[in-house]
Amino acid sequence: MTATQLSPGSVRKTAAGATAPGRRRALDRYLNPALGVLGVAVVLAAWQICASTGVVDPKFSSSPSGAFRALVDSFTSGDVWSPLGSTLSIVAWGMLISIVAAIPLGLLIGRNRVLYALTDPLISIMYSVPYVVFLPMLIFWFGIGADARVVIVVWSAMFPLLINVIAGARNLEQSHLQVSRVFCASRLTTLRSVAFPATLPYILAGVRQAVGRALIGAIVAELFMGSAGLGYVVQLKTSNFQTDDAMAAIAVIAIIAVLLNHGVAYLEQRLTFWSRTD
Amino acid sequence: MNNPRRKLVVDDLRIGHWSRRSGSFALACDGLTFDVAENEFVAIVGPSGCGKTTFLTALAGLTPVESGRLELNGEQITGPAPDRSLVFQQASLFPWRTVVANIEFGLKAQRRLDAKGKARVAELVELVGLAGKEESYPRELSGGMSQRVNLARALATDPDLLLLDEPFSALDAQTRELMQEELTRVWQADGAGTGKTAVFVTHDVPEAVFLADRVIVFSRGPAHLVEVVEVDLPRPRGAGVKRSPRFQEISDHILSLVMSQNQPGRRTEDHDSNAALSR
Ligand SMILES: Nc1ncnc2c1ncn2[C@@H]1O[C@H](COP(=O)(O)OP(=O)(O)OP(=O)(O)O)[C@@H](O)[C@H]1O
Ligand SMILES: [Mg+2]
């Protein structure tokens, strides 16, 4: 909130004060992104200067201009599409499976005291342990094909989502449940029409965490398995000393991460507008 | 005794809460006995924490009866049923549903949301004065509007018995007066001229007298019956009724009963011993 400054007897000042919140919002809208871009530009410029003046060896460190050229090349030659598609489809499948499984499962566990007591320690452990330690074991079990990578993505994404859904289902408003009971709603109706929408903000927060972890899971799996995807490209190009190409692949991964984050944020805004307190 | 006037029978009723943590039992209503007739509007007043909400939730079927009779149309109440609905004390609208969708909830839950149900909801939106707000969300409503939605939601299922738990207590004085008049209007308009049977819990004595045919005064908790006061004011009642000498007389009488409950020294009966019974 902006405090409106009132100086005695000055109508003009007051009028200017009344528009101040609007101006502040416009500043937030344009100035903050502009500052963000500036920050990135400064770092890139410093990197470019270091590479051009030979402070660092661009063969090892790549350079913004080299990486950018490699990025454009990968698009014009079409080399980027196959690994990009591979990574994206793995992440998409993994997220889909996680969401379809975690939401009903989380609602069920959150609404059932015995199930919760049974599963809570297990899920907490699975959530807390760095999931990449399971990677060798998962490769051992599932091989290095696309299926195995989906398994790893699900493994990474499932638990933050599950934990959020359970927390949401356990935090249902008592009065909402009473309304449901008074109007004789069935258990299924209560789950679908009360528990699910009430949990939606938690679900989407969980999805946001899960998407981040899913991407990490996919990339780490590709680095590890060396079979396909953007992670594999990064690994391959780096070991071939093609650091520009490796940096270009990293840039693509960064873009995916940012877009996914924004996509989920957009969904949150569209689907849970009713829970905002502004 | 099978008197047709006895729509709701409360006989030596005891209700309480089991504490999950300590496993003990706390009595909230002790030995309540009274009847409610068909189409009657009954108000319950009593000190805070005496067990009014508990009694109402028992009527709704949310709180189990410990002992005694609690019969609606000759049948013991054992759980929620479509023939009763409750207007809650706190805000209980679903924030993710629009005004219309909130009002429809009961009908939808009971699989009765057909064309007739939709028409009834549209009618109620008009009746409670929410026309134009159909697609608003609860966070966009004022307190008065929210309670109108709450009321319309309870009326939508066309209950045999309407239960209201201090529905206007959170509103400012003017809005409250307005809502009281509106409730009498809706109540008279909705039941095809007869009015539904309603049980209305409130702290506000003039509100009780204005709305009710009879006012039931509860004692300090655990609640037992202090007195049942007939309100012999003519209907339909307008805002002017509140300035009539008879209204004042009845209000003063009930107020003195409630006040005597608030001051331990002036109580006629003693119920100190059974605040908490362990089993
Ligand atoms: N869920 C519960 N578990 C245990 N005890 C409860 C529960 N709800 C209410 N009580 C207790 O039962 C008694 C009656 O409470 P109740 O809510 O019925 O009072 P009330 O008359 O509605 O009060 P108010 O006028 O303040 O709304 C109180 O002593 C209260 O502490
Ligand atoms: Mg109460």
Side-chain angles (χ1 to χ4, degrees):
Chain A
M1 276 285 101
T2 358
T4 311
Q5 283 188 342
L6 283 179
S7 62
S10 164
V11 181
R12 220 186 56 87
K13 260 254 179 70
T14 315
T19 63
R23 196 182 299 162
R24 173 70 57 89
R25 200 162 300 151
L27 271 185
D28 283 348
R29 188 111 167 232
Y30 300 113
L31 190 62
N32 286 356
L35 286 175
V37 170
L38 184 67
V40 173
V42 166
V43 171
L44 287 181
W47 180 12
Q48 183 67 50
I49 289 165
C50 291
S52 306
T53 55
V55 176
V56 294
D57 183 355
K59 269 211 178 62
F60 283 101
S61 69
S62 174
S63 68
S65 62
F68 185 72
R69 228 176 291 122
L71 184 64
V72 172
D73 279 351
S74 70
F75 274 95
T76 49
S77 68
D79 286 348
V80 72
W81 298 119
S82 157
L84 176 61
S86 172
T87 298
L88 279 183
S89 75
I90 295 287
V91 169
W93 275 111
M95 280 308 295
L96 190 73
I97 293 169
S98 302
I99 288 172
V100 168
I103 290 175
L105 201 62
L107 289 178
L108 220 63
I109 293 172
R111 296 311 306 154
N112 186 312
R113 219 160 296 181
V114 177
L115 264 183
Y116 176 75
L118 265 176
T119 54
D120 177 50
L122 195 68
I123 292 171
S124 300
I125 290 169
M126 291 302 295
Y127 176 67
S128 315
V129 173
Y131 53 93
V132 287
V133 303
F134 293 107
L135 222 65
M137 199 72 79
L138 289 173
I139 293 172
F140 181 58
W141 290 340
F142 296 99
I144 58 165
D147 297 351
R149 287 155 66 207
V150 172
V151 169
I152 288 163
V153 172
V154 172
W155 197 281
S156 330
M158 183 81 142
F159 293 100
L161 187 54
L162 199 55
I163 278 196
N164 270 285
V165 180
I166 292 171
R170 282 171 59 80
N171 272 322
L172 292 188
E173 201 77 51
Q174 208 54 38
S175 62
H176 291 161
L177 290 174
Q178 287 203 333
V179 170
S180 197
R181 279 182 68 200
V182 163
F183 289 110
C184 305
S186 66
R187 274 189 81 90
L188 189 67
T189 305
T190 306
L191 216 56
R192 200 184 48 210
S193 302
V194 180
F196 173 69
T199 313
L200 203 54
Y202 291 84
I203 291 176
L204 288 169
V207 166
R208 197 163 41 172
Q209 271 187 49
V211 160
R213 290 183 43 144
L215 188 61
I216 296 173
I219 299 295
V220 171
E222 289 162 1
L223 288 173
F224 232 87
M225 296 175 171
S227 54
L230 289 168
Y232 171 63
V233 173
V234 173
Q235 225 258 319
L236 185 74
K237 301 290 182 185
T238 309
S239 48
N240 287 349
F241 295 106
Q242 295 166 304
T243 48
D244 284 349
D245 293 312
M247 279 296 174
I250 289 173
V252 174
I253 294 168
I255 291 166
I256 296 175
V258 169
L259 288 182
L260 281 178
N261 242 324
H262 275 269
V264 179
Y266 175 77
L267 271 186
E268 279 188 283
Q269 210 164 42
R270 284 302 300 269
L271 297 179
T272 60
F273 58 90
W274 47 263
S275 74
R276 277 203 306 275
T277 48
D278 54 15
Chain B
M1 190 165 67
N2 209 356
N3 191 332
R5 264 182 57 95
R6 302 175 78 192
K7 174 147 194 98
L8 180 70
V9 176
V10 183
D11 186 17
D12 199 20
L13 182 72
R14 286 157 49 98
I15 324 165
H17 298 278
W18 284 99
S19 161
R20 191 170 285 140
R21 216 163 292 144
S22 62
S24 67
F25 179 75
L27 203 57
C29 297
D30 187 16
L32 285 173
T33 304
F34 60 90
D35 293 348
V36 178
E38 179 88 49
N39 302 330
E40 194 179 16
F41 197 118
V42 164
I44 296 174
V45 298
S48 183
C50 74
K52 302 183 296 294
T53 298
T54 305
F55 173 67
L56 217 56
T57 54
L59 276 178
L62 296 174
T63 307
V65 170
E66 264 311 299
S67 70
R69 287 201 294 157
L70 184 62
E71 296 177 357
L72 179 65
N73 299 322
E75 280 184 41
Q76 180 79 6
I77 290 171
T78 54
D83 62 356
R84 277 159 279 144
S85 38
L86 176 58
V87 179
F88 287 83
Q89 181 170 5
Q90 358 57 335
S92 62
L93 299 179
F94 297 123
W96 54 86
R97 286 177 164 250
T98 62
V99 165
V100 165
N102 263 293
I103 298 175
E104 284 172 349
F105 179 79
L107 288 170
K108 197 153 184 213
Q110 296 164 16
R111 297 170 201 284
R112 292 198 285 152
L113 192 62
D114 47 13
K116 224 172 92 196
K118 291 249 182 206
R120 174 159 178 77
V121 169
E123 201 178 293
L124 276 170
V125 169
E126 288 287 332
L127 195 61
V128 299
L130 284 166
K133 291 280 173 194
E134 288 89 345
E135 298 308 315
S136 301
Y137 284 85
R139 69 192 198 107
E140 301 162 338
L141 302 177
S142 69
M145 288 179 204
S146 298
Q147 282 311 63
R148 282 167 215 255
V149 180
N150 217 332
L151 181 62
R153 178 172 67 184
L155 288 170
T157 53
D158 201 13
D160 203 19
L161 178 63
L162 181 62
L163 308 167
L164 305 106
D165 189 5
E166 302 190 37
F168 310 144
S169 61
L171 305 179
D172 62 273
Q174 285 95 329
T175 316
R176 184 190 295 207
E177 299 241 329
L178 212 72
M179 292 293 291
Q180 290 165 5
E181 284 164 39
E182 218 141 280
L183 178 62
T184 42
R185 184 177 60 77
V186 169
W187 181 64
Q188 280 153 8
D190 195 56
T194 54
K196 289 177 186 308
T197 312
V199 179
F200 187 103
V201 164
T202 180
H203 271 127
D204 183 342
V205 172
E207 177 172 88
V209 176
F210 177 71
L211 292 169
D213 299 316
R214 284 191 300 158
V215 176
I216 293 169
V217 183
F218 277 11
S219 70
R220 275 175 16 135
H224 56 99
L225 196 70
V226 173
E227 195 172 316
V228 179
V229 183
E230 291 280 341
V231 183
D232 49 4
L233 296 165
R235 284 188 191 274
R237 294 175 194 162
V241 164
K242 291 190 179 173
R243 286 185 296 275
S244 75
R246 183 70 190 138
F247 183 93
Q248 281 305 327
E249 207 177 314
I250 299 172
S251 297
D252 287 348
H253 175 59
I254 295 172
L255 207 57
S256 71
L257 289 174
V258 175
M259 292 302 280
S260 73
Q261 287 306 315
N262 279 333
Q263 294 163 8
R266 281 171 59 189
R267 275 191 298 157
T268 44
E269 283 173 78
D270 247 323
H271 268 264
D272 289 325
S273 50
N274 46 6
L277 299 175
S278 307
R279 280 201 184 175

